[in-house]
Amino acid sequence: MSMLAALLLLSGPNFDIDPAYRPVGDPLAEARAGRIQCHDPDVAAHTCRIMTWFSEGAGDKVQVRQLTALSDSPALAAELRMAVTREGAGLCGVVDDAYMAGFRIVGSRAPYAPITDKRYAILYRDALVSALWNRKTCSYGYAKPGDPLQLEVGTVDGQFAGEMMSNYIWIGAGAGYRLKARLQV
């Protein structure tokens, strides 16, 4: 590893965000306590656009199950089951054949049954593959002291990717949250 790469890992990325935000020291602490990441939460309605479950594996590997609401009518979600790697404060992976092997389109309401209409999978995969195929993506958590709403910042091939930013909270597994798609503008 070059000296520059080592310094970047030790110093952590700088995304020019509000200085009140601090890097999350242990991005999996809440997951070890049985909690789920809820992205773009609506606390009053108990909804999330994305729900993510993490479990630690051997070495720096982390198993991830993520549901992303695509549509409320029809009720569709993208489900990914993948392994990522802890790299310093980040969780990183590459969109490749192994990544896509864990992908399917499901109904966005529990029990998240697979959708048999393959058109949905093709459309979603085409967009994902065209943007990220064989590219390394990493996510980093940031938090303000005393604020449950955290910020996820992402990189693609080491470059800041603003479209990967989102807010999230940690919720209990039995908290009654459900998936809800983001309004299309």
Side-chain angles (χ1 to χ4, degrees), residues 6-7 19 23 27 35 40 47 56 81 83 89 96 103 107 109 113 129 135 141-142 147-149 152-153 165 177 179:
L7 285 173
R35 296 171 68 80
D40 297 332
T47 61
E56 293 178 287
R81 292 177 184 263
D96 57 14
F103 168 84
R109 294 185 179 85
V129 166
R135 299 181 77 190
Y142 286 83
D147 188 347
L149 191 63
E152 181 178 73
V153 179
M165 287 182 74
Y177 277 73
L179 288 173

Side-chain angles (χ1 to χ4, degrees), residues 63 65 85 132 144 155:
Q63 297 301 313
R65 177 181 180 226
T85 305
L132 297 174
K144 289 181 185 178
T155 61

Side-chain angles (χ1 to χ4, degrees), residues 25-163:
D26 181 357
L28 300 176
E30 295 284 342
R32 281 192 295 281
R35 296 171 68 80
I36 301 164
Q37 247 183 20
C38 169
H39 284 258
D40 297 332
D42 180 334
V43 177
H46 277 222
T47 61
C48 311
R49 185 178 62 84
I50 301 171
M51 297 174 89
T52 309
W53 295 257
F54 296 97
S55 60
E56 293 178 287
D60 289 333
K61 292 293 183 192
V62 177
Q63 297 301 313
V64 179
R65 177 181 180 226
Q66 185 172 73
L67 289 166
T68 302
L70 301 176
S71 169
D72 293 325
S73 183
L76 300 173
E79 179 181 44
L80 280 171
R81 292 177 184 263
M82 61 194 154
V84 296
T85 305
R86 280 186 80 158
E87 294 184 17
L91 297 174
C92 302
V94 175
V95 176
D96 57 14
D97 288 329
Y99 180 97
M100 294 308 291
F103 168 84
R104 66 186 185 151
I105 300 293
V106 297
S108 68
R109 294 185 179 85
Y112 310 112
I115 300 297
T116 57
D117 188 337
K118 302 297 182 201
R119 292 176 297 169
Y120 297 116
I122 291 168
L123 290 171
Y124 187 80
R125 280 184 183 172
D126 284 351
L128 183 67
V129 166
S130 69
L132 297 174
W133 190 253
N134 281 329
R135 299 181 77 190
K136 181 178 181 179
T137 62
C138 296
S139 66
Y140 302 87
Y142 286 83
K144 289 181 185 178
D147 188 347
L149 191 63
Q150 297 184 2
L151 178 66
E152 181 178 73
V153 179
T155 61
V156 175
D157 292 336
Q159 300 296 311
F160 171 70
E163 65 276 11

